[in-house]
Amino acid sequence: MLDNLKEHKFTILIAILVVFCFGVIRAFEDQLFYDPFLDYFKEGFKNLPFPEVNQFKLFLGLFLRYILNTVLSLVLIYALFPDVEILKFTTFMYGFFLLLLFVMFYVIIEYFSNASWLLFYVRRFIIQPIFVLLFIPAFYYQQQNLKK
C-alpha cells in the first residue's frame, strides 16, 4: 500500500490542492463574489421575497464562481483519470449545465418569485462543485467495467 501511495503521490498532491482551493473559495465567498442570496438563504427565507439584486453583478459573480469550480473540477478529474476523452466529455457536460442552470436561475428570479426552494437548489448547483462528486464515481465505475 505504501508503494501505491508513493506511485501516485503527484495525483494525491493535486487532489489535496484542488480540495483546498474549493475550501478557500467557500471560505471567502462573501469577499470574492457578489451574492445577496448568501444572506437570504441563511435566514428563514421560506416566506420572504427575493432580495433586490444587481442582476449583472449577480450573474457575473455566479459565472465566475461556476468557472472557478469547473476549472478546479476538470483539473481533479484529469489528475484522477488522465484520459482526454473523459476530459472532453466532462468539459461538454459542464458547458451544458452552465447554460441550463443559468437559464433556470434567471427564469426563477424573473417569473417565479415564490419558488425560493427551487432557486435554492438551482443556485446550489451553480455555486458548489457538486458535479465533480457525481462524475468521479461515475468515471471510476466506467473504468472498472472496461477492465472486466
Side-chain angles (χ1 to χ4, degrees):
M1 173 146 162
L2 191 56
D3 291 335
N4 201 11
L5 287 176
K6 287 180 183 178
E7 182 181 324
H8 298 290
K9 65 183 171 189
F10 185 70
T11 302
I12 294 169
L13 181 66
I14 295 285
I16 290 170
L17 183 62
V18 167
V19 170
F20 176 76
C21 289
F22 283 141
V24 168
I25 290 171
R26 174 69 181 203
F28 295 105
E29 64 188 356
D30 291 331
Q31 294 83 15
L32 294 173
F33 310 104
Y34 170 79
D35 191 354
F37 287 103
L38 288 171
D39 293 329
Y40 174 77
F41 286 120
K42 287 179 185 173
E43 300 171 7
F45 62 89
K46 283 184 181 178
N47 299 321
L48 295 175
F50 292 152
E52 290 295 320
V53 297
N54 177 332
Q55 284 192 359
F56 178 75
K57 285 175 66 175
L58 175 64
F59 279 89
L60 186 64
L62 291 174
F63 179 75
L64 178 62
R65 189 161 180 181
Y66 187 87
I67 294 300
L68 285 172
N69 285 334
T70 297
V71 168
L72 290 171
S73 298
L74 291 173
V75 167
L76 180 60
I77 287 171
Y78 189 73
L80 296 174
F81 309 100
D83 182 347
V84 176
E85 292 303 315
I86 288 177
L87 187 64
K88 286 179 185 177
F89 174 75
T90 308
T91 303
F92 172 78
M93 292 303 293
Y94 272 105
F96 171 76
F97 287 124
L98 171 73
L99 293 174
L100 179 69
L101 291 169
F102 272 78
V103 167
M104 289 174 63
F105 190 83
Y106 177 77
V107 168
I108 294 167
I109 285 180
E110 287 297 316
Y111 302 108
F112 297 99
S113 60
N114 295 335
S116 57
W117 278 108
L118 184 58
L119 183 70
F120 175 81
Y121 288 112
V122 169
R123 185 180 153 277
R124 180 70 50 207
F125 274 92
I126 292 173
I127 68 170
Q128 299 299 331
I130 295 171
F131 293 122
V132 76
L133 297 175
L134 301 172
F135 289 148
I136 289 173
F139 294 144
Y140 178 77
Y141 180 77
Q142 179 186 13
Q143 244 182 10
Q144 295 305 310
N145 277 346
L146 290 175
K147 287 180 182 179
K148 288 182 181 180

